[in-house]
Amino acid sequence: EHRGLLYTEYLDSKSFKTVSDLDPYDGKEIIKLECVGHYQKRLGKALRQLLQTKKLGGRGKLTQALIDKLQNYFGIALRANTESVDKMYTAIRASMFHVAANDSPPLHAKCPLGEDSWCSYQVAKARGIPYKHKGPGFPIEIIRKIKPVYERLTDKMMLQKCLLGKTQNVNESFNGIIW
């Protein structure tokens, strides 16, 4: 039990439904946790599908390397903000705009402020030194195309299931040894 809710870990969909139907906790709702690693991979899968169907690829646009970077930042934002859905949401959105940023416009408004920020633009700003982006970022039209994917994956109910920062890697490793 965490924050008044009961969570189950490491149950597949069939097992979760069986446990929920048994109602072992006298009417308390049981919420299935999301594996943070698997949830992170959903972003990559959705962006790769978008890349194929919307023809967003090419130089200066959405690439496999950029998708990998976005997916990695998404996972970091999930794991680093397990204390609050709102902080998780803000960090995920900041990572999307951060990767897209260039010198005009900088798009770092959602990045953490101050000298201890992970955002080098905000660190430079806090120190009062000019900052030059290393690359061109990517066009605002690409942000508009990937934004619905981020909106779907940052649904507050879904992020609630990631709050404990759990992973199934331990279970998968154990199952691999058995089989």
Side-chain angles (χ1 to χ4, degrees):
E1 189 165 352
H2 179 69
R3 298 183 184 148
L5 298 170
L6 293 169
Y7 291 93
T8 65
E9 301 176 43
Y10 314 128
L11 296 177
D12 63 24
S13 295
K14 274 186 174 179
S15 301
F16 176 74
K17 179 159 177 24
T18 302
V19 170
S20 294
D21 289 346
L22 289 172
D23 192 25
Y25 302 108
D26 299 323
K28 284 193 174 184
E29 181 184 9
I30 301 171
I31 297 172
K32 186 177 186 302
L33 295 176
E34 289 287 339
C35 169
V36 176
H38 288 125
Y39 200 70
Q40 171 184 349
K41 288 178 188 175
R42 286 185 193 174
L43 176 72
K45 181 179 179 185
L47 291 178
R48 283 182 184 84
Q49 287 175 341
L50 196 64
L51 179 63
Q52 291 176 346
T53 60
K54 300 283 185 183
K55 308 290 187 237
L56 301 175
R59 189 172 175 90
K61 294 187 177 179
L62 200 58
T63 62
Q64 294 293 338
L66 186 57
I67 290 172
D68 290 344
K69 186 183 231 181
L70 288 165
Q71 181 178 327
N72 188 34
Y73 286 175
F74 188 85
I76 291 168
L78 287 172
R79 288 177 183 89
N81 294 286
T82 56
E83 71 278 359
S84 164
V85 169
D86 291 330
K87 286 182 179 182
M88 200 178 277
Y89 175 87
T90 301
I92 290 168
R93 300 299 284 247
S95 71
M96 177 184 70
F97 287 108
H98 177 83
V99 171
N102 57 35
D103 289 328
S104 178
L107 300 176
H108 293 284
K110 295 189 182 297
C111 293
L113 305 175
E115 288 191 37
D116 59 343
S117 175
W118 51 259
C119 173
S120 51
Y121 173 86
Q122 291 293 358
V123 171
K125 188 175 175 183
R127 292 179 181 164
I129 56 176
Y131 183 80
K132 178 84 172 131
H133 285 85
K134 292 179 181 123
F138 55 85
I140 200 79
E141 70 201 41
I142 302 296
I143 295 172
R144 286 190 190 109
K145 301 276 185 179
I146 69 171
K147 194 173 179 185
V149 171
Y150 273 83
E151 286 173 355
R152 181 172 49 84
L153 292 173
T154 56
D155 175 72
K156 301 235 176 169
M157 289 302 294
M158 290 304 291
L159 292 179
Q160 177 86 27
K161 296 177 181 184
C162 296
L163 265 183
L164 299 179
K166 296 292 184 175
T167 180
Q168 288 183 351
N169 289 347
V170 174
N171 261 15
E172 289 173 0
S173 176
F174 179 67
N175 289 342
I177 291 170
I178 292 173
W179 288 104

